[in-house]
Amino acid sequence: MFKFSFQVESEEESTLSKDEKLEVPSQQSTENETRAEDTPVYPCEELCTDTVLAEPRSINPEVTSNFAPVPECSIAYLNHLALLEETFTDDIVTAELDHSDLVPNRYEGGLKVWECTFDLGQFLVSSEDLKAQLQGKKVLDLGCGAGVLGIEAILLGANTVHFQDYNKDVLEKTTMINYDLNCRSEDKNESDVPVAAVKFFSGDWGSFTENFDEKYDLILTSETIYSTQNYGKLLQLFDRKLEPDGIVYLAAKTYYFGVGGGVRLFEDALATDGRFQCQTVWKCDIGVKREILKITRK
């Protein structure tokens, strides 16, 4: 469940069904925007991959034939304050202690795997055409968090996969570890798993766009349009990073109540911007409504 920690229910939200309501941040949207404007941008950097194991591992082919959410589980060690403070930055510690999934422009929920990631993962693996599109391609997992979509792209035959997330801690302590576990090991048999060129980038989208000259055939991203104030950066990133015939697959909730964003507002931003066209290629109308957009250049 996409949830933040918000206690005041707006008049609009009070008319929603129980399944459609979300918990949202403890700060009002205007307060979030003020803080965002005053907060320095996280500079983007490419992370060292020395912690990644050197040899590819054997992968069971069945891994790529079925993609489904894992059962709910708790990470008990995060509740141990001393270890939490030793392991993560102050921003992530603050978010955990406040039981919040969002500290605007500091921590953007990267330690949780959100519902729309499972939607997009299932969508990719269930389509033979989409799996064919991934073969030999260069892919960006944007706002990667645990790196589920990028790892799936590797297992489905992508030639190059880059992982980007706002927080360096998320990449080093979650994404890279997941990559190690799923795509590399001490095994010497290189024929059982695709070997992809992999990079990891932390930091702000604007900084990533300006400081790294990379272009991608496909950009995979989920739950990244909840904040309308970042739409300009996101569209500029798409324009600078996408190959002329490239495709963006974006999975998101139709509305993010309490934080202002959603698919309809992002479609409006796309139309106003004028550089891209989009179509809805998947949707779920049960509970909290979710969609997947296919975005291409005009």
Side-chain angles (χ1 to χ4, degrees), residues 16-190:
L16 301 172
S17 68
K18 181 178 179 181
D19 286 339
E20 290 178 312
K21 292 182 180 180
L22 303 174
E23 296 174 42
V24 290
S26 55
Q27 298 93 343
Q28 296 283 2
S29 296
T30 54
E31 293 174 352
N32 288 345
E33 291 170 3
T34 300
R35 175 172 180 174
E37 292 172 358
D38 296 338
T39 303
V41 169
Y42 267 24
C44 185
E45 60 178 302
E46 181 180 348
L47 303 186
C48 175
T49 57
D50 290 345
T51 57
V52 177
L53 299 179
E55 297 295 334
R57 69 176 293 185
S58 299
I59 295 293
N60 185 338
E62 294 181 0
V63 170
T64 61
S65 65
N66 184 31
F67 184 89
V70 297
E72 288 290 333
C73 60
S74 61
I75 305 177
Y77 74 84
L78 285 181
N79 294 322
H80 192 293
L81 180 59
L83 185 55
L84 179 66
E85 291 178 338
E86 180 182 340
T87 306
F88 293 100
T89 61
D90 290 343
D91 296 321
I92 295 179
V93 172
T94 298
E96 177 63 21
L97 295 179
D98 289 345
H99 304 289
S100 173
D101 295 311
L102 173 64
V103 179
N105 292 295
R106 290 299 179 184
Y107 169 66
E108 301 287 342
L111 291 177
K112 180 178 288 187
V113 181
W114 303 96
E115 297 97 321
C116 293
T117 299
F118 296 123
D119 295 336
L120 185 51
Q122 182 64 61
F123 180 73
L124 291 174
V125 82
S126 63
S127 169
E128 294 302 320
D129 288 341
L130 288 174
K131 285 192 283 188
Q133 286 182 23
L134 286 166
Q135 297 297 312
K137 295 303 173 67
K138 187 173 183 179
V139 177
L140 173 64
D141 185 351
L142 183 67
C144 62
V148 172
L149 298 175
I151 290 168
E152 185 178 7
I154 292 171
L155 298 179
L156 292 174
N159 180 62
T160 300
V161 175
H162 292 175
F163 297 86
Q164 183 279 334
D165 196 85
Y166 195 72
N167 294 98
K168 182 177 180 179
D169 264 6
V170 169
L171 287 162
E172 291 184 335
K173 298 179 173 67
T174 302
T175 319
M176 288 181 174
I177 293 172
N178 285 342
Y179 171 71
D180 282 347
L181 291 172
N182 286 278
C183 301
R184 305 175 85 82
S185 79
E186 297 178 356
D187 297 335
K188 304 298 183 181
N189 186 353
E190 299 185 8

Side-chain angles (χ1 to χ4, degrees), residues 193-251:
V193 61
V195 179
V198 174
K199 291 183 180 179
F200 301 85
F201 297 93
S202 68
D204 176 79
W205 287 339
S207 181
F208 176 58
T209 300
E210 294 298 326
N211 294 306
F212 292 92
D213 186 19
E214 305 280 358
K215 288 188 179 292
Y216 303 94
D217 302 299
L218 287 100
I219 297 176
L220 308 176
T221 187
S222 70
E223 310 276 20
T224 49
I225 59 170
Y226 55 85
S227 174
T228 57
Q229 65 180 344
N230 289 322
Y231 286 2
K233 288 182 181 180
L234 187 57
L235 292 173
Q236 183 66 4
L237 187 152
F238 288 170
D239 188 45
R240 293 274 294 275
K241 301 298 186 185
L242 200 62
E243 294 285 1
D245 58 349
I247 300 173
V248 178
Y249 286 102
L250 182 151

